Amino acid sequence: MDKTGLAIGEDTSLDQRVTFTRQGLFEGARQTVPVALSIFAYGLVFGVLARQAGLSTAESLLMSGIVFAGSSQFAAIGLWVAPLPVAAIVLTTLVVNLRQLLMGAALRPWFAALTRPQLFLSLFVLNDESWALTMGSLRRGSNNGAFLLGSGLVSMMAWLSATLVGGSLGNALQDPGVLGLDFAFTEVFIGLLVGFWKGRSDLLPWGVAALFAVFAAMYLPGKWYIIVGGIAGSVAGALKSDS
């Protein structure tokens, strides 16, 4: 066991070594810069909405720095009324962020043997965009665990700076949709989805995930459709690979 990498461990299907180097950190940061532009765009929307909901710029920045989860922050702001419905906000954000369990499970074969500081720092900045970019890098054989940390740090800087600018704009930008900023969230995920496309074999799990998510959105309250679609797609993909 040397200082540059750690053995994967029990998963014999990944008979390689995980490294955690400065090169991987910089590569993750570099590949995230284009995505960070879109993160900044819908971060502006959050900053504006948070200010309109009554949060100060400092409070918005504190939320973005501690929570650092765009979709759950949008969900929380949507419920931000007086008196504050704490239980509803906690439950909603919990449901929205349950998807990170699936993201963590997908990373485990590569990240299980990282040191605790490496693992905790990386997972603190885990977000959808950085997860997608990291999975793509790992599947291409890079096996550099520092990629996620570099990507997450760039994403976080974009999110925090956008929160600051959006909060500073305050009521000057009444409707972010006028500038098309509300579409940036959808745009970045479409781009990441295209990057995951491997061929027609992906149609089944993606279709199952979409179908279950739509039905869950129609018949279940809140944001459960995110978890239902993710689990259904994962199960379909696992059954397809075993067949």
Side-chain angles (χ1 to χ4, degrees):
M1 199 72 65
D2 59 28
K3 296 182 179 179
T4 60
L6 294 167
I8 290 293
E10 297 179 358
D11 192 343
T12 56
S13 65
L14 294 173
D15 187 20
Q16 299 180 22
R17 298 173 71 81
V18 169
T19 60
F20 200 93
T21 67
R22 186 179 302 175
Q23 179 182 1
L25 185 78
F26 290 155
E27 182 61 21
R30 184 188 67 81
Q31 290 193 28
T32 307
V33 170
V35 178
L37 298 177
S38 293
I39 294 175
F40 185 88
Y42 61 79
L44 283 175
V45 178
F46 169 75
V48 170
L49 294 180
R51 187 61 181 270
Q52 293 175 356
L55 275 72
S56 67
T57 302
E59 290 169 336
S60 301
L61 275 173
L62 186 62
M63 179 189 285
S64 288
I66 295 176
V67 179
F68 187 49
S71 53
S72 65
Q73 289 181 235
F74 276 110
I77 289 300
L79 298 170
W80 207 274
V81 294
L84 200 64
V86 176
I89 290 175
V90 170
L91 179 60
T92 300
T93 54
L94 174 64
V95 171
V96 172
N97 282 341
L98 281 176
R99 74 193 188 283
Q100 298 208 16
L101 290 175
L102 301 177
M103 292 192 286
L107 288 169
R108 190 185 184 283
W110 289 277
F111 279 35
L114 292 180
T115 66
R116 287 192 175 184
Q118 293 169 347
L119 184 61
F120 292 162
L121 281 172
S122 298
L123 293 181
F124 179 76
V125 294
L126 176 66
N127 59 85
D128 300 271
E129 296 86 352
S130 294
W131 174 81
L133 292 171
T134 301
M135 288 299 296
S137 175
L138 292 171
R139 286 173 175 173
R140 289 191 296 270
S142 74
N143 286 338
N144 198 313
F147 187 101
L148 176 60
L149 180 58
S151 177
L153 288 173
V154 170
S155 300
M156 187 175 219
M157 286 188 290
W159 183 250
L160 288 173
S161 58
T163 300
L164 175 61
V165 174
S168 300
L169 288 174
N171 295 323
L173 184 61
Q174 291 289 335
D175 183 9
V178 173
L179 301 179
L181 296 177
D182 55 335
F183 184 70
F185 195 80
T186 304
E187 178 187 26
V188 69
F189 282 100
I190 291 175
L192 294 172
L193 193 64
V194 171
F196 268 86
W197 176 256
K198 295 180 181 178
R200 296 178 62 182
S201 61
D202 285 334
L203 288 175
L204 176 61
W206 289 16
V208 169
L211 183 64
F212 273 76
V214 169
F215 274 98
M218 293 171 59
Y219 298 108
L220 294 178
K223 305 293 183 178
W224 283 102
Y225 62 89
I226 298 174
I227 307 303
V228 172
I231 293 176
S234 299
V235 171
L239 292 176
K240 180 180 69 69
S241 63
D242 290 339
S243 61

